[in-house]
Amino acid sequence: MDIKYILKEANYYKKLEGLSRPIKKFLLSQTVLSKWVNGPEYNRIYYNRIRKKSKKHYPKILQVENTNFCNARCLMCPHNKMKRRGKIMNLEDFKKIVKSVLKEYKIERLVITGFGEPFIDKGIIEKIKFVNKNFPELKIDIYTNASVLNKSLTDTLLKTKISRITFSVNGTEKNYKKIMGLDYQNTKKNLLYFLHKKIESENKVLTNISLMILKENEKDIQRFIGFWRPLTDSVRVYAPSNWAGGKGNIIQQSPFKDKKRWACFALWNNITIDVDGNMVLCCRDYESAGNFGNVLKQNIKEIRQSERFQKLLKKQLNSDFNSPVCKNCDNSFDSSLDWIC
């Protein structure tokens, strides 16, 4: 066990959200307590916890898809199957969505990323500046492959206030091109410049560099961690998602084979808005199959309190997952832990 690595990750999560939730998850998933999870006593406590918390929990995270265009061709992503029209959200629609949602809910974190590469949007800086000016306490997250994050864009970006940027790298020089369909040296150059300028500018943005475990990169995980760990706040290595059935060949077996599946916490905690302004199920709903209403035309609270959305929540509480997207989802939000953590 690498103590330095654990302490660095702990410091990252302490700055990001505090240590309470990460510590609970660690204890319940990585220690002897994991044997208690989904046992009879745990299930009784957890069931009561969900019933109680679901009645009073309101969304804390707003995700807005500023574009669904993407320049990568990742092996583990179904973007090449997407039938939705490619689009970039204009600034006025972005403003209207953010203002209307924050008028109704006490959102703590805004994710400016959807099913695309966010920096393809030439107007993303103006969107960030709008949030910084009008909602200065709102934390901003961005997920990017960093391939278009050139020096000029980095210099401008670091003059704004962002809570966290996650860089999806997913490989090394040996396998990156095959996995991502992008040029490794270009991405590496962009990342090294960003990480250097972040220190130089004293910007407080947290940086995370991630790798999704695939057969193409599994032998290079330690080398990946060893290279990036000294340069960034966090390195995350994690198992892939099946994208609610969109990439079923990536997952070899269901994560629910040996444990009970519970209501998805994300449906209560997150509001996901696609590039057209539709409130959809979640970030895995890449085709906007679960479209519950358009926040450019309707009140977000009315959408979430609608009979159709409430029916979905009730089905989840009754362990009925036979809904579009949900029925094929491998539930990357660990449903056995999230309600208690």
Side-chain angles (χ1 to χ4, degrees):
M1 185 177 288
D2 191 329
I3 299 299
K4 288 184 179 180
Y5 178 54
I6 292 174
L7 290 175
K8 188 169 186 178
E9 290 297 308
N11 186 51
Y12 165 77
Y13 283 104
K14 180 182 179 182
K15 292 178 180 178
L16 182 69
E17 59 180 353
L19 288 177
S20 176
R21 188 167 180 267
I23 287 174
K24 287 179 185 177
K25 277 208 163 188
F26 176 80
L27 292 174
L28 291 171
S29 63
Q30 303 296 324
T31 71
V32 292
L33 290 177
S34 63
K35 297 178 180 178
W36 178 56
V37 176
N38 288 310
E41 182 64 15
Y42 181 90
N43 287 352
R44 183 186 65 79
I45 295 171
Y46 200 61
Y47 174 83
N48 291 331
R49 170 78 171 178
I50 292 174
R51 291 287 167 173
K52 182 178 179 180
K53 193 171 183 178
S54 63
K55 292 178 181 179
K56 60 181 181 179
H57 190 83
Y58 295 100
K60 302 292 178 58
I61 297 173
L62 169 63
Q63 179 170 359
V64 179
E65 181 180 59
N66 64 317
T67 181
N68 59 350
F69 283 118
C70 191
N71 61 333
R73 295 293 179 268
C74 303
L75 290 178
M76 59 287 193
C77 178
H79 195 280
N80 64 336
K81 297 171 61 176
M82 183 184 71
K83 297 182 177 64
R84 284 192 295 141
R85 178 175 62 92
K87 182 179 177 180
I88 293 174
M89 182 181 289
N90 66 54
L91 180 59
E92 291 309 309
D93 283 352
F94 178 83
K95 289 179 178 180
K96 185 174 181 179
I97 289 167
V98 173
K99 286 193 291 187
S100 63
V101 173
L102 267 71
K103 183 180 178 181
E104 300 293 347
Y105 294 107
K106 293 181 179 179
I107 299 295
E108 298 175 0
R109 190 171 292 275
L110 169 65
V111 182
I112 308 178
T113 309
F115 197 56
E117 167 50 46
F119 289 113
I120 286 178
D121 173 12
K122 302 296 185 183
I124 189 172
I125 297 296
E126 292 306 311
K127 292 178 173 74
I128 295 169
K129 286 180 178 179
F130 163 77
V131 175
N132 287 168
K133 180 180 178 180
N134 294 277
F135 305 97
E137 300 304 314
L138 185 59
K139 296 177 181 178
I140 298 175
D141 280 6
I142 296 175
Y143 293 77
T144 174
N145 61 41
S147 63
V148 296
L149 193 62
N150 56 36
K151 290 183 179 181
S152 175
L153 183 53
T154 287
D155 292 343
T156 306
L157 187 64
L158 286 172
K159 293 175 183 177
T160 67
K161 182 183 175 184
I162 302 170
S163 173
R164 172 178 58 175
I165 298 183
T166 296
F167 299 104
S168 301
V169 178
N170 297 310
T172 64
E173 67 275 6
K174 290 169 55 179
N175 46 49
Y176 180 82
K177 179 74 174 180
K178 182 177 181 181
I179 294 171
M180 300 284 288
L182 297 169
D183 180 74
Y184 179 75
Q185 293 305 325
N186 175 65
T187 298
K188 179 181 175 183
K189 177 189 68 177
N190 290 346
L191 265 175
L192 291 177
Y193 181 79
F194 182 94
L195 295 168
H196 169 73
K197 293 298 288 187
K198 175 205 164 186
I199 296 172
E200 189 178 274
S201 67
E202 298 183 350
N203 191 297
K204 302 299 183 183
V205 60
L206 292 171
T207 57
N208 172 272
I209 295 178
S210 68
L211 176 143
M212 186 178 286
I213 304 169
L214 304 167
K215 66 178 186 296
E216 288 81 6
N217 62 23
E218 60 187 1
K219 293 181 180 179
D220 296 313
I221 291 174
Q222 291 306 315
R223 192 154 67 92
F224 178 91
I225 295 173
F227 180 81
W228 291 111
R229 187 176 69 180
L231 304 171
T232 185
D233 296 302
S234 171
V235 176
R236 182 181 178 221
V237 175
Y238 62 105
S241 162
N242 72 352
W243 281 97
K247 293 296 283 188
N249 60 314
I250 294 293
I251 303 295
Q252 299 304 313
Q253 73 174 34
S254 167
F256 302 111
K257 182 178 179 181
D258 300 315
K259 63 180 182 180
K260 179 176 172 58
R261 182 178 180 181
W262 300 89
C264 181
F265 183 62
L267 292 172
W268 279 261
N269 194 61
N270 298 23
I271 294 175
T272 305
I273 309 298
D274 74 9
V275 72
D276 291 308
N278 301 308
M279 192 195 89
V280 298
L281 276 166
C282 66
C283 60
R284 295 289 182 260
D285 187 5
Y286 64 89
E287 287 289 18
S288 298
N291 180 348
F292 292 89
N294 192 292
V295 293
L296 294 171
K297 303 173 183 177
Q298 300 166 261
N299 179 278
I300 183 62
K301 187 167 282 188
E302 291 178 359
I303 294 173
R304 291 186 63 83
Q305 291 177 349
S306 68
E307 182 180 351
R308 183 163 164 253
F309 188 69
Q310 289 300 312
K311 183 178 179 181
L312 172 69
L313 297 184
K314 186 176 180 180
K315 287 177 67 174
Q316 287 271 327
L317 291 173
N318 291 328
S319 299
D320 179 357
F321 306 106
N322 188 27
S323 304
V325 182
C326 302
K327 63 182 178 182
N328 295 316
C329 187
D330 60 1
N331 201 348
S332 61
F333 300 88
D334 193 330
S335 64
S336 296
L337 299 177
D338 272 341
W339 286 95
I340 210 165
C341 294

